[in-house]
Amino acid sequence: MSPREARLLELGYEIEKTTPEGSLVDAVSIVGDIVYASGQVPFDGDQLKYVGVVPSQVSKEDATTAAALCAANVLRAVRKELGSLEAIKRVVRITGYVRSEADFSEQHLVINGASQLVRDVFGEAGRHARTALGMQQLPLGASVEVEMVLQKKE
């Protein structure tokens, strides 16, 4: 187990606990040294957690936890594709989507859960550009979805 994978496990995210995969799209697509990771919702194994609208049905704090789980799911998918998180040179960008009430304006705080997890796992290589958006609806009614662009070591 690599140091990055050990850190993910230390943070409470089992490495082998991947999410259900769709049949029409890939969880990870690689072009050159760029790794595009599809959006992940807060599945814990095969169980979807944190379903609902932020903050009326899912608290901001729980949504932040959901964002971290989404980021962990992205990293698990990347590891499954590349064999190790050590194959990643750096995280380039995170885009986070929050299913939120029309007057909720703290999406950036929710997506901090994903950003913090990435920084905890990758250190300085986890610094990234980011966008946090509010959405009316997300797949399966999830409260949060996170996607990433990463750079692979050559």
Side-chain angles (χ1 to χ4, degrees):
M1 180 179 302
S2 79
R4 290 174 175 168
E5 291 152 10
R7 182 67 177 133
L8 192 61
L9 184 60
E10 181 182 301
L11 292 168
Y13 302 97
E14 295 175 40
I15 304 304
E16 301 295 334
K17 204 172 196 181
T18 57
T19 60
E21 292 187 29
S23 60
L24 296 177
V25 299
D26 294 326
V28 175
S29 181
I30 301 169
V31 178
D33 67 341
I34 301 298
V35 178
Y36 298 91
S38 292
Q40 294 276 350
V41 295
F43 271 104
D44 186 9
D46 61 358
Q47 179 187 6
L48 181 61
K49 300 179 84 175
Y50 309 106
V51 174
V53 180
V54 179
S56 62
Q57 297 172 322
V58 177
S59 72
K60 182 176 76 174
E61 294 75 23
D62 283 348
T64 303
T65 299
L69 178 55
C70 292
N73 287 337
V74 169
L75 297 181
R76 290 168 173 156
V78 167
R79 179 193 176 267
K80 183 177 178 182
E81 181 69 23
L82 298 180
S84 172
L85 290 178
E86 296 305 317
I88 296 299
K89 182 176 182 179
R90 67 176 298 246
V91 178
V92 176
R93 179 180 175 83
I94 292 177
T95 305
Y97 307 91
V98 181
R99 182 178 171 207
S100 49
E101 299 289 343
D103 62 347
F104 183 75
S105 61
E106 295 183 330
Q107 290 84 1
H108 62 293
L109 298 178
V110 169
I111 301 305
N112 279 349
S115 292
Q116 187 63 60
L117 179 81
V118 165
R119 290 298 303 276
D120 289 345
V121 171
F122 288 93
E124 280 301 303
R127 290 190 66 85
H128 54 274
R130 189 183 84 183
T131 300
L133 302 164
M135 310 301 285
Q136 183 177 7
Q137 188 59 266
L138 288 172
L140 306 173
S143 60
V144 181
E145 182 173 3
V146 171
E147 65 181 24
M148 287 186 211
V149 178
L150 308 97
Q151 184 180 23
K152 186 172 68 136
K153 292 177 182 173
E154 297 204 32

